[in-house]
Amino acid sequence: MSKLTHLDDKGEARMVDVTDKAVTEREARAEARIHMNGETLRMITEGEHPKGDVLAVARIAGIMAAKRTHDLIPLCHSLNLTSVKVELTPGADGASVHILTRCKLSGQTGVEMEALTAASVAALTLYDMCKAVDKGMEIGGVRLLEKKGGRSGHWMAGNP
């Protein structure tokens, strides 16, 4: 098992020094899901929600969150992201939205936290926009799907 990189030899929290790491192309994909009443999803997909285009607002919120991850997660580096994509797809179950994010850059550290933050904030934004009509929504399934680049190489969920 690898050691926790955000702890020094004394066990104290620290920001990882990436000065000597090579600049490589890096990418991460993450997902989240929000479950809701079928009527709530219908309002969203048919453009009948009183707050307007809920999916567009959630998409922008996810992109903005990825760009500000270092402000939210104390030991994250400020990154110069070159691409952030947030896709929101109504679930086939008629009562959920699947959120898929992808972050890319050329840099010295990975973008996993940015992809996870984008997915989480997009889901939270959907909750915020829809809570007046559906307080029982449930956010879950937030996870990293894939990361590419850097010293540890390519990793995909479900693969050891």
Side-chain angles (χ1 to χ4, degrees):
M1 183 178 201
S2 299
K3 72 176 199 162
L4 297 174
T5 57
H6 285 89
L7 298 177
D8 65 15
D9 294 337
K10 297 176 189 172
E12 296 175 353
R14 68 174 175 110
M15 187 177 207
V16 175
D17 184 352
V18 297
T19 305
D20 295 329
K21 290 176 83 175
V23 172
T24 62
E25 197 170 300
R26 297 161 187 265
E27 179 177 338
R29 293 185 316 112
E31 70 177 347
R33 189 171 300 273
I34 182 167
H35 296 274
M36 59 191 65
N37 290 327
E39 177 62 14
T40 305
L41 183 60
R42 188 197 67 72
M43 289 173 72
I44 292 169
T45 59
E46 294 184 12
E48 295 176 10
H49 195 283
K51 291 190 177 180
D53 191 343
V54 173
L55 297 178
V57 174
R59 185 177 306 106
I60 295 299
I63 292 167
M64 290 176 63
K67 293 165 49 174
R68 300 300 301 257
T69 299
H70 66 279
D71 287 330
L72 301 170
I73 311 295
L75 301 176
C76 281
H77 292 85
S78 173
L79 301 180
N80 186 22
L81 296 170
T82 57
S83 176
V84 178
K85 293 190 178 175
V86 178
E87 297 175 13
L88 297 105
T89 307
D93 62 2
S96 66
V97 175
H98 180 246
I99 301 156
L100 181 63
T101 65
R102 187 186 79 183
C103 295
K104 291 174 70 174
L105 61 65
S106 289
Q108 294 168 290
T109 189
V111 291
E112 298 92 338
M113 294 308 299
E114 287 70 16
L116 287 162
T117 300
S120 300
V121 170
L124 288 167
T125 300
L126 284 173
Y127 187 95
D128 182 52
M129 298 278 296
C130 297
K131 69 182 183 265
V133 297
D134 187 357
K135 289 182 180 23
M137 291 174 287
E138 183 178 315
I139 295 169
V142 178
R143 69 182 185 136
L144 182 67
L145 295 173
E146 181 177 21
K147 70 146 298 278
K148 296 178 185 176
R151 187 176 12 198
S152 61
H154 190 193
W155 177 89
M156 289 185 69
N159 292 338

